[in-house]
Amino acid sequence: MLQPYVQLDESGRPQKGLLPETADGRVVEFYYDTNGTDITVVFVTIPVQHTSRKRAFTVGKTFKTISTLEDFTLLRYDLADHKILATLEMFADGSERQIDASRLLDY
């Protein structure tokens, strides 16, 4: 399994990282909180012909999905092997879903 590259701060705490590029060219950058314990922000970049789309997804914020127009709150990120899983709370029914963070722009 590939391990993500994680940059440490001067005291040895995780600060930020970059996952290996996905098969379809997506790049996932992630940033830890000041304690270096939890991932709080993920940037997803999708290459598009001559430009690219990049968007930040921050824990605790609410987002509207593109496909279903259903709101969700981003609860947390979990680092699992070579990917980051995002846990979402769906407003419609209060259920939780876990998806690959690289797919957040599609959701």
Side-chain angles (χ1 to χ4, degrees), residues 4-18:
Y5 168 73
V6 177
Q7 183 178 347
L8 305 178
D9 66 12
E10 58 279 347
S11 61
R13 291 186 304 255
Q15 185 176 25
K16 63 182 179 177
L18 184 66

Side-chain angles (χ1 to χ4, degrees), residues 41-59:
V41 180
V42 165
F43 285 92
V44 180
T45 305
I46 299 177
V48 181
Q49 288 192 306
H50 301 294
T51 61
S52 62
R53 290 177 49 206
K54 183 175 186 175
R55 184 169 178 196
F57 294 92
T58 305
V59 169

Side-chain angles (χ1 to χ4, degrees), residues 9-71:
D9 66 12
E10 58 279 347
S11 61
R13 291 186 304 255
Q15 185 176 25
K16 63 182 179 177
L18 184 66
L19 291 177
E21 189 175 301
T22 64
D24 59 355
R26 294 168 190 251
V27 175
V28 176
E29 302 168 72
F30 55 96
Y31 294 84
Y32 285 86
D33 60 10
T34 54
N35 295 326
T37 53
D38 295 315
I39 297 171
T40 57
V41 180
V42 165
F43 285 92
V44 180
T45 305
I46 299 177
V48 181
Q49 288 192 306
H50 301 294
T51 61
S52 62
R53 290 177 49 206
K54 183 175 186 175
R55 184 169 178 196
F57 294 92
T58 305
V59 169
K61 296 226 177 193
T62 299
F63 299 90
K64 187 173 286 289
T65 61
I66 296 168
S67 58
T68 62
L69 300 179
E70 182 181 6
D71 292 344

Side-chain angles (χ1 to χ4, degrees), residues 90-105:
M90 310 311 289
F91 271 31
D93 59 5
S95 66
E96 288 187 9
R97 297 182 191 166
Q98 197 170 49
I99 65 169
D100 186 327
S102 70
R103 308 310 298 178
L104 280 168
L105 274 175

